Amino acid sequence: MRRLIRKIDAVATNDGDGVKIHRVAGRQLNSVLDPFLMVDEINSDDAADYIGGFPEHPHRGFETITYMKAGRMRHRDHMGNEGVIETGDVQWMTAGKGVLHSEMPEQTNGLLHGFQIWLNLPANEKMKPAAYRDIQSKNITELNLDDGGLVRVVAGKLSVNGIELVGSLPPLSTEPVLLDIVLSPSESVDLVFNKQNTALVHVYSGGLNQAGDELKARQMGVFSKGECLTLQGGSEGANVLVFSGKPLKEPIAQYGPFVMNSTEEIEQAMQDYRQNELV
Protein backbone atom coordinates (compact mmCIF):
# COMPACT_ATOMS: atom_id res chain seq x y z
CA MET A 1 0.00 0.00 0.00
CA ARG A 2 1.15 3.54 -0.72
CA ARG A 3 1.41 5.61 2.47
CA LEU A 4 0.99 9.35 2.95
CA ILE A 5 4.52 10.59 3.74
CA ARG A 6 4.29 14.38 3.29
CA LYS A 7 1.75 17.20 3.06
CA ILE A 8 2.34 20.40 1.08
CA ASP A 9 0.17 23.51 1.42
CA ALA A 10 -0.71 25.47 -1.71
CA VAL A 11 0.41 29.10 -1.48
CA ALA A 12 -1.71 32.07 -2.55
CA THR A 13 0.03 34.20 -5.18
CA ASN A 14 -0.53 36.14 -8.43
CA ASP A 15 0.49 35.33 -12.00
CA GLY A 16 -0.18 36.63 -15.49
CA ASP A 17 -1.90 40.02 -15.37
CA GLY A 18 -2.76 39.91 -11.67
CA VAL A 19 -4.63 36.59 -11.71
CA LYS A 20 -5.12 35.24 -8.17
CA ILE A 21 -4.07 31.60 -7.88
CA HIS A 22 -3.01 28.96 -5.35
CA ARG A 23 0.26 27.24 -6.26
CA VAL A 24 2.24 24.14 -5.35
CA ALA A 25 5.75 24.58 -6.77
CA GLY A 26 9.26 25.72 -5.96
CA ARG A 27 12.85 24.67 -6.35
CA GLN A 28 12.77 22.85 -3.02
CA LEU A 29 9.93 20.65 -4.30
CA ASN A 30 11.45 19.70 -7.68
CA SER A 31 12.70 16.30 -6.53
CA VAL A 32 9.45 15.61 -4.64
CA LEU A 33 7.12 16.40 -7.55
CA ASP A 34 9.36 14.96 -10.31
CA PRO A 35 8.42 14.74 -13.18
CA PHE A 36 5.85 17.45 -12.36
CA LEU A 37 7.00 21.00 -11.76
CA MET A 38 3.97 22.99 -10.66
CA VAL A 39 0.24 22.84 -9.95
CA ASP A 40 -1.76 26.10 -10.10
CA GLU A 41 -5.44 26.50 -9.26
CA ILE A 42 -7.72 29.39 -10.21
CA ASN A 43 -11.05 29.37 -8.37
CA SER A 44 -13.05 32.59 -8.14
CA ASP A 45 -16.43 34.02 -9.07
CA ASP A 46 -15.03 37.57 -8.83
CA ALA A 47 -13.95 38.66 -12.30
CA ALA A 48 -11.42 41.06 -10.79
CA ASP A 49 -9.45 37.99 -9.64
CA TYR A 50 -9.01 36.54 -13.13
CA ILE A 51 -10.07 38.93 -15.90
CA GLY A 52 -6.47 40.03 -16.68
CA GLY A 53 -5.69 36.49 -17.76
CA PHE A 54 -2.32 35.43 -19.11
CA PRO A 55 -1.29 37.70 -22.03
CA GLU A 56 1.25 36.43 -24.57
CA HIS A 57 4.28 34.79 -22.96
CA PRO A 58 6.92 32.22 -23.97
CA HIS A 59 7.63 28.65 -22.85
CA ARG A 60 10.42 26.18 -23.57
CA GLY A 61 11.40 22.75 -22.28
CA PHE A 62 8.25 21.26 -20.72
CA GLU A 63 4.52 20.61 -21.12
CA THR A 64 1.55 22.57 -19.78
CA ILE A 65 -1.79 20.93 -18.99
CA THR A 66 -4.83 23.19 -18.67
CA TYR A 67 -7.92 21.59 -17.13
CA MET A 68 -11.09 23.67 -16.82
CA LYS A 69 -13.62 22.77 -14.13
CA ALA A 70 -15.89 25.79 -14.64
CA GLY A 71 -15.84 28.69 -17.08
CA ARG A 72 -14.01 29.09 -20.38
CA MET A 73 -10.47 30.05 -21.41
CA ARG A 74 -9.40 31.20 -24.88
CA HIS A 75 -6.02 30.05 -26.15
CA ARG A 76 -3.97 31.68 -28.94
CA ASP A 77 -0.39 31.06 -30.08
CA HIS A 78 2.26 32.23 -32.57
CA MET A 79 1.42 29.42 -35.02
CA GLY A 80 -2.12 30.64 -35.49
CA ASN A 81 -3.71 28.01 -33.26
CA GLU A 82 -6.75 29.34 -31.42
CA GLY A 83 -9.61 27.82 -29.50
CA VAL A 84 -11.69 27.84 -26.33
CA ILE A 85 -11.07 25.41 -23.48
CA GLU A 86 -14.59 24.75 -22.16
CA THR A 87 -15.77 23.37 -18.82
CA GLY A 88 -14.44 19.83 -18.41
CA ASP A 89 -11.98 20.13 -21.30
CA VAL A 90 -8.22 19.60 -21.22
CA GLN A 91 -5.49 21.14 -23.34
CA TRP A 92 -2.16 19.31 -23.24
CA MET A 93 0.50 21.57 -24.76
CA THR A 94 4.07 20.47 -25.49
CA ALA A 95 6.11 23.68 -25.48
CA GLY A 96 9.26 21.83 -26.55
CA LYS A 97 11.66 24.13 -28.45
CA GLY A 98 9.38 27.09 -27.93
CA VAL A 99 5.90 28.53 -28.07
CA LEU A 100 4.43 32.01 -27.62
CA HIS A 101 0.87 31.84 -26.37
CA SER A 102 -1.82 33.53 -24.34
CA GLU A 103 -4.67 32.21 -22.23
CA MET A 104 -7.45 34.70 -21.57
CA PRO A 105 -10.79 34.16 -19.77
CA GLU A 106 -13.66 33.92 -22.23
CA GLN A 107 -16.05 35.53 -19.75
CA THR A 108 -16.46 38.73 -17.76
CA ASN A 109 -18.44 37.35 -14.82
CA GLY A 110 -19.25 34.09 -13.08
CA LEU A 111 -17.14 31.27 -11.70
CA LEU A 112 -13.78 30.51 -13.28
CA HIS A 113 -12.23 27.34 -11.88
CA GLY A 114 -9.36 25.50 -13.44
CA PHE A 115 -5.87 24.09 -13.08
CA GLN A 116 -2.62 24.47 -14.94
CA ILE A 117 -0.05 21.75 -14.40
CA TRP A 118 3.56 21.87 -15.60
CA LEU A 119 5.07 18.52 -16.57
CA ASN A 120 8.79 18.36 -17.28
CA LEU A 121 10.30 16.88 -20.43
CA PRO A 122 13.44 14.71 -20.49
CA ALA A 123 16.59 16.36 -21.83
CA ASN A 124 16.36 14.59 -25.19
CA GLU A 125 12.83 15.96 -25.78
CA LYS A 126 13.16 19.55 -24.58
CA MET A 127 13.81 20.91 -28.08
CA LYS A 128 11.13 18.90 -29.90
CA PRO A 129 8.58 20.86 -31.98
CA ALA A 130 5.67 22.47 -30.15
CA ALA A 131 2.43 20.44 -30.29
CA TYR A 132 -1.08 20.28 -28.85
CA ARG A 133 -3.53 17.63 -27.78
CA ASP A 134 -7.02 18.98 -27.12
CA ILE A 135 -9.31 16.65 -25.19
CA GLN A 136 -12.99 17.52 -25.03
CA SER A 137 -14.87 16.65 -21.87
CA LYS A 138 -17.04 14.11 -23.69
CA ASN A 139 -13.92 12.14 -24.67
CA ILE A 140 -12.49 11.80 -21.15
CA THR A 141 -12.80 8.25 -19.77
CA GLU A 142 -15.13 8.12 -16.76
CA LEU A 143 -16.10 5.52 -14.17
CA ASN A 144 -19.04 5.92 -11.78
CA LEU A 145 -18.24 4.47 -8.36
CA ASP A 146 -20.73 2.36 -6.37
CA ASP A 147 -21.27 4.93 -3.61
CA GLY A 148 -21.81 7.95 -5.84
CA GLY A 149 -18.24 8.98 -6.64
CA LEU A 150 -16.70 9.52 -10.05
CA VAL A 151 -13.26 8.95 -11.59
CA ARG A 152 -12.20 10.87 -14.72
CA VAL A 153 -9.05 9.58 -16.46
CA VAL A 154 -7.40 12.49 -18.28
CA ALA A 155 -4.20 10.53 -18.93
CA GLY A 156 -2.67 7.18 -18.15
CA LYS A 157 -3.48 3.52 -17.76
CA LEU A 158 -4.52 2.11 -14.38
CA SER A 159 -6.87 -0.11 -12.43
CA VAL A 160 -9.70 1.52 -10.44
CA ASN A 161 -11.36 -0.86 -7.97
CA GLY A 162 -10.18 -3.71 -10.19
CA ILE A 163 -11.47 -2.17 -13.43
CA GLU A 164 -8.90 -1.34 -16.12
CA LEU A 165 -9.17 2.20 -17.49
CA VAL A 166 -7.15 4.06 -20.14
CA GLY A 167 -7.08 7.77 -20.94
CA SER A 168 -7.16 9.14 -24.48
CA LEU A 169 -3.53 10.30 -24.70
CA PRO A 170 -0.94 8.17 -26.47
CA PRO A 171 1.94 6.80 -24.33
CA LEU A 172 4.43 9.48 -23.26
CA SER A 173 7.98 9.06 -21.96
CA THR A 174 7.07 10.52 -18.55
CA GLU A 175 4.27 7.91 -18.16
CA PRO A 176 1.80 10.48 -16.80
CA VAL A 177 -1.35 9.55 -14.93
CA LEU A 178 -3.80 12.40 -14.31
CA LEU A 179 -7.13 11.72 -12.61
CA ASP A 180 -9.96 13.90 -11.36
CA ILE A 181 -11.85 12.07 -8.60
CA VAL A 182 -15.01 12.86 -6.66
CA LEU A 183 -15.59 10.84 -3.48
CA SER A 184 -18.73 10.81 -1.36
CA PRO A 185 -18.36 11.01 2.45
CA SER A 186 -16.35 7.99 3.68
CA GLU A 187 -16.23 6.50 0.19
CA SER A 188 -13.00 4.71 -0.76
CA VAL A 189 -11.32 4.01 -4.08
CA ASP A 190 -8.35 1.74 -4.88
CA LEU A 191 -5.97 2.92 -7.61
CA VAL A 192 -3.25 0.69 -9.05
CA PHE A 193 -0.62 2.08 -11.44
CA ASN A 194 3.16 1.84 -11.82
CA LYS A 195 4.37 1.16 -8.28
CA GLN A 196 7.76 2.84 -8.84
CA ASN A 197 6.36 6.14 -10.09
CA THR A 198 5.55 9.30 -8.19
CA ALA A 199 2.11 9.47 -6.54
CA LEU A 200 0.70 12.91 -5.67
CA VAL A 201 -2.84 13.79 -4.55
CA HIS A 202 -4.10 17.38 -4.54
CA VAL A 203 -7.32 18.06 -2.63
CA TYR A 204 -9.25 20.96 -4.11
CA SER A 205 -12.38 20.68 -1.96
CA GLY A 206 -13.51 18.60 0.99
CA GLY A 207 -10.90 16.36 2.56
CA LEU A 208 -9.39 12.87 2.68
CA ASN A 209 -9.08 10.55 5.67
CA GLN A 210 -5.86 8.57 5.18
CA ALA A 211 -5.45 6.00 7.94
CA GLY A 212 -6.30 8.56 10.61
CA ASP A 213 -4.38 11.37 8.94
CA GLU A 214 -6.19 14.12 7.05
CA LEU A 215 -5.55 15.89 3.79
CA LYS A 216 -7.44 19.17 3.64
CA ALA A 217 -8.51 21.43 0.79
CA ARG A 218 -5.57 23.09 -1.00
CA GLN A 219 -3.14 20.50 0.35
CA MET A 220 -1.12 18.08 -1.74
CA GLY A 221 -0.21 14.69 -0.35
CA VAL A 222 2.98 12.91 -1.37
CA PHE A 223 2.67 9.13 -1.19
CA SER A 224 5.27 6.38 -0.98
CA LYS A 225 5.95 3.85 -3.69
CA GLY A 226 3.66 0.83 -3.60
CA GLU A 227 1.18 -1.40 -5.39
CA CYS A 228 -2.07 0.35 -4.45
CA LEU A 229 -3.12 3.89 -3.57
CA THR A 230 -6.31 3.88 -1.48
CA LEU A 231 -8.12 7.18 -0.98
CA GLN A 232 -11.03 7.71 1.42
CA GLY A 233 -13.32 10.70 1.44
CA GLY A 234 -13.69 12.58 4.71
CA SER A 235 -16.92 13.60 6.40
CA GLU A 236 -17.72 16.08 3.59
CA GLY A 237 -16.43 13.89 0.78
CA ALA A 238 -13.55 15.02 -1.42
CA ASN A 239 -12.65 16.36 -4.84
CA VAL A 240 -9.05 15.55 -5.75
CA LEU A 241 -6.56 15.46 -8.59
CA VAL A 242 -4.19 12.48 -8.67
CA PHE A 243 -0.83 12.78 -10.43
CA SER A 244 1.70 10.11 -11.23
CA GLY A 245 4.72 9.99 -13.53
CA LYS A 246 8.14 8.52 -14.09
CA PRO A 247 10.75 10.62 -12.26
CA LEU A 248 13.33 12.01 -14.68
CA LYS A 249 16.05 12.48 -12.03
CA GLU A 250 17.74 15.09 -14.21
CA PRO A 251 19.13 18.52 -13.27
CA ILE A 252 16.52 21.28 -13.44
CA ALA A 253 17.41 24.84 -14.38
CA GLN A 254 14.40 27.15 -14.42
CA TYR A 255 13.99 30.82 -15.15
CA GLY A 256 10.35 31.89 -15.31
CA PRO A 257 8.73 30.17 -18.30
CA PHE A 258 11.89 28.28 -19.37
CA VAL A 259 12.76 24.88 -17.86
CA MET A 260 16.02 23.33 -19.05
CA ASN A 261 18.89 21.24 -17.63
CA SER A 262 21.63 23.86 -17.30
CA THR A 263 22.22 27.57 -16.82
CA GLU A 264 23.77 27.72 -20.29
CA GLU A 265 20.57 26.36 -21.84
CA ILE A 266 18.50 28.93 -19.93
CA GLU A 267 20.75 31.72 -21.18
CA GLN A 268 20.35 30.39 -24.73
CA ALA A 269 16.56 30.35 -24.34
CA MET A 270 16.57 33.96 -23.14
CA GLN A 271 18.82 35.01 -26.02
CA ASP A 272 16.61 33.18 -28.52
CA TYR A 273 13.55 34.92 -27.09
CA ARG A 274 15.14 38.38 -27.27
CA GLN A 275 16.18 37.73 -30.87
CA ASN A 276 12.80 36.30 -31.89
CA GLU A 277 14.35 32.87 -32.45
CA LEU A 278 12.72 30.99 -29.58
CA VAL A 279 10.20 29.33 -31.88
Side-chain angles (χ1 to χ4, degrees):
M1 298 291 293
R2 292 183 183 262
R3 297 174 293 103
L4 178 61
I5 56 177
R6 182 172 178 177
K7 292 185 278 190
I8 303 167
D9 293 320
V11 177
T13 185
N14 295 329
D15 205 342
D17 187 10
V19 179
K20 292 185 178 180
I21 60 175
H22 282 81
R23 171 171 291 171
V24 174
R27 193 165 299 169
Q28 73 281 6
L29 294 177
N30 281 344
S31 62
V32 176
L33 304 181
D34 190 13
F36 296 91
L37 297 160
M38 183 185 78
V39 177
D40 280 355
E41 180 182 10
I42 304 171
N43 189 358
S44 179
D45 57 8
D46 182 353
D49 291 343
Y50 61 73
I51 199 64
F54 305 91
E56 186 176 86
H57 56 282
H59 288 305
R60 173 179 280 181
F62 61 102
E63 299 186 295
T64 68
I65 305 153
T66 302
Y67 178 34
M68 296 303 300
K69 293 290 295 179
R72 306 163 79 230
M73 191 79 76
R74 179 168 293 276
H75 160 83
R76 291 187 177 95
D77 75 3
H78 73 282
M79 296 179 287
N81 296 304
E82 180 177 355
V84 177
I85 310 169
E86 306 266 4
T87 296
D89 292 351
V90 175
Q91 183 187 78
W92 198 292
M93 182 182 80
T94 301
K97 178 180 183 295
V99 68
L100 301 174
H101 79 146
S102 64
E103 290 175 303
M104 303 297 291
E106 186 79 354
Q107 60 189 69
T108 57
N109 58 70
L111 176 63
L112 187 75
H113 184 198
F115 297 88
Q116 185 165 99
I117 301 116
W118 286 15
L119 175 60
N120 205 0
L121 284 169
N124 63 356
E125 295 182 25
K126 285 188 175 293
M127 297 296 282
K128 68 195 299 187
Y132 296 90
R133 298 178 180 92
D134 292 315
I135 310 171
Q136 292 186 325
S137 182
K138 65 182 180 181
N139 295 324
I140 293 178
T141 302
E142 294 187 346
L143 176 68
N144 292 301
L145 302 178
D146 292 341
D147 293 328
L150 175 68
V151 177
R152 307 190 84 213
V153 184
V154 174
K157 179 180 179 181
L158 74 158
S159 168
V160 180
N161 292 345
I163 300 171
E164 297 295 322
L165 298 177
V166 181
S168 60
L169 286 178
L172 302 175
S173 60
T174 49
E175 301 176 5
V177 172
L178 175 54
L179 314 174
D180 183 12
I181 299 179
V182 178
L183 294 175
S184 301
S186 301
E187 183 177 27
S188 294
V189 64
D190 294 331
L191 310 172
V192 177
F193 45 84
N194 192 311
K195 65 182 181 180
Q196 296 299 317
N197 286 358
T198 301
L200 309 168
V201 179
H202 183 72
V203 180
Y204 61 91
S205 68
L208 292 174
N209 181 4
Q210 296 300 124
D213 204 349
E214 185 179 10
L215 267 179
K216 301 178 182 179
R218 291 183 174 149
Q219 281 189 326
M220 175 176 283
V222 181
F223 286 78
S224 66
K225 297 177 182 179
E227 293 284 350
C228 181
L229 172 61
T230 298
L231 303 178
Q232 182 178 32
S235 60
E236 299 178 358
N239 292 264
V240 306
L241 296 182
V242 176
F243 308 91
S244 178
K246 181 180 180 180
L248 298 178
K249 299 179 181 179
E250 295 178 348
I252 295 175
Q254 180 177 353
Y255 182 79
F258 306 129
V259 182
M260 304 300 288
N261 297 107
S262 69
T263 301
E264 292 75 18
E265 290 172 329
I266 291 292
E267 291 173 350
Q268 184 64 55
M270 294 171 62
Q271 180 178 327
D272 290 346
Y273 179 55
R274 288 193 295 265
Q275 297 178 351
N276 294 320
E277 296 177 353
L278 182 76
V279 297

